[in-house]
Every structure is written in structure tokens, then in C-alpha cells.
Amino acid sequence: MSPKPYVRLDKDNAAVLLVDHQTGLLSLVRDIDPDKFKNNVLALADMAEYFKLPTILTTSFETGPNGPLVPELKAKFPTAPYIARPGQINAWDNEDFVKAVKATGKKQLIVAGVVTEVCVAFPVLSALAEGFEVFVIADASGTFNSMTPQAAWSRMEQAGAQLMTWFGAACELHRDWRNDIEGLGTLFSNHIPDYRNLINSYTTLTAGK
């Protein structure tokens, strides 16, 4: 297989899709520690806010066992498009969701959700089929066990999706530390305890300069 060219995330051409991060579905996540998973989801949300990326929220059958959207996401994006799908399992089968995605005018989609092999994989595959560049945030997407996401990741990668972490995505979007040392450092410090030590050391060393 010939290598594909490096396509990097561009903060001016990217939108974030948060798919089915619902209270009921989160209880199914077993491939990542629950506390770490919640932290990763909120880190991705903070990343979207920091880079001012258009963000779309969607839920699946939230009046049923899947439950409502995680309240922190609704609070963080009070004016973002919020698509409560009445029954469609694949978010891309919902006309309002697709309209909201296309209305952003962005070609790159950063996607995360629960569960990985369904709520993430299905819209990712659908978006790729329509010509979008798709970046899946693996550590903000969760599912039943450690084996299950492997099949989903393989399927999405073969279709052209790129797998990333929220930290990797943030670094690629930022490009250069000199763009905003304090802002990026705060984002990392809020979600990576060990990184807080680095930033504290840096601020201490530079305080007198």
C-alpha cells in the first residue's frame, strides 16, 4: 500500500462533531477508565472552544435508555447546533445533522462519540463518502471493551479516516508554541496533571524575566 500524503488539521477549516456523549451510553464505556474518558471528552470540548472551532452536538433517542447529553457539553456550547435525533442510529441519516455539518463550510471534521463502532464509525464513513477529511479522536470515543474499537478503527482507517488523540489534534491545530504559550499551556494543564507541573516550572522560571 502506497503511503498517503500528510494531511494536517487546519484550525481555519475544521469543525468538531460530538456524537452521542450521553449519560446512558457513557455507562457502556469499558475500553477507557471512566474518569479518564470523561476528562478526554471535556478536553476535546475545551480544545474546540480554545480554537473557536464550529461544534455540533447530537444525541440518539435521548428519551430512551441512551439518556440525555452530558450536561457539561450542553453548558459549554449553549448556542451550538444541537440535533436530538429521534431514532436514526447513524447521525448522517438525520437531515438536520447533515445540514448543520455542511453549514459550517468546513472540509475537515473532527469526530468523537459513544460507541466507537456505531455512533462514531457510521457518520465517519458517511462523511468520508461525501468527500470530507475526517479525523477521529480515539481517546474521546469509547465502547464496550478493548477489542471492539480495533475493528472500528481498522474499518475507518481503511476508508480514509485519520486516528488521533485530543492532545495530538490540539498540537497540530496550534502549529507553533509561540502562537500562544499561556493559552495552550492552560488547556493542557487543565486536563493533564503531569503537564501542569511543566507549566508551573516554566512560569516560575520566566516570572522574573
Side-chain angles (χ1 to χ4, degrees):
M1 183 181 295
S2 59
K4 295 180 180 179
Y6 175 30
V7 177
R8 66 171 68 185
L9 280 168
D10 178 355
K11 64 184 177 63
D12 296 319
N13 196 30
V16 175
L17 311 184
L18 299 177
V19 184
D20 301 353
H21 289 102
Q22 297 167 245
T23 56
L25 291 176
L26 256 64
S27 68
L28 302 177
V29 175
R30 293 289 183 272
D31 58 328
I32 308 177
D33 176 82
D35 291 338
K36 291 180 180 178
F37 180 64
K38 185 75 170 291
N39 176 69
N40 292 342
V41 172
L42 298 180
L44 175 59
D46 284 347
M47 185 197 82
E49 182 182 48
Y50 173 69
F51 289 107
K52 298 180 174 60
L53 306 180
T55 301
I56 297 171
L57 310 172
T58 186
T59 58
S60 171
F61 194 42
E62 63 179 43
T63 57
N66 292 349
L69 183 72
V70 173
E72 292 93 332
L73 296 180
K74 186 177 289 188
K76 180 167 288 293
F77 303 106
T79 62
Y82 177 79
I83 314 299
R85 308 191 313 280
Q88 297 96 339
I89 295 175
N90 182 349
W92 210 264
D93 289 340
N94 183 281
E95 184 178 353
D96 291 334
F97 179 76
V98 175
K99 283 182 178 178
V101 172
K102 293 183 177 179
T104 67
K106 309 301 182 182
K107 190 67 174 176
Q108 296 183 334
L109 303 179
I110 301 170
V111 186
V114 182
V115 292
T116 306
E117 68 272 29
V118 175
C119 307
V120 178
F122 292 175
V124 163
L125 295 170
S126 297
L128 288 166
E130 293 203 23
F132 288 92
E133 296 171 357
V134 183
F135 302 77
V136 178
I137 306 302
D139 58 352
S141 302
T143 188
F144 306 108
N145 54 55
S146 59
M147 181 186 72
T148 307
Q150 301 296 329
W153 293 338
S154 176
R155 189 182 188 195
M156 289 186 282
E157 279 190 310
Q158 288 181 35
Q162 293 193 49
L163 297 181
M164 302 189 73
T165 63
W166 74 263
F167 181 81
C171 289
E172 192 159 84
L173 287 163
H174 199 66
R175 294 280 200 276
D176 190 320
W177 266 108
R178 293 168 295 182
N179 290 331
D180 180 11
I181 297 172
E182 183 177 347
L184 190 66
T186 298
L187 172 64
F188 291 164
S189 295
N190 286 342
H191 296 282
I192 306 173
D194 290 339
Y195 216 98
R196 188 176 301 120
N197 296 333
L198 298 181
I199 295 300
N200 287 341
S201 176
Y202 168 78
T203 54
T204 300
L205 289 171
T206 57
K209 294 183 179 180

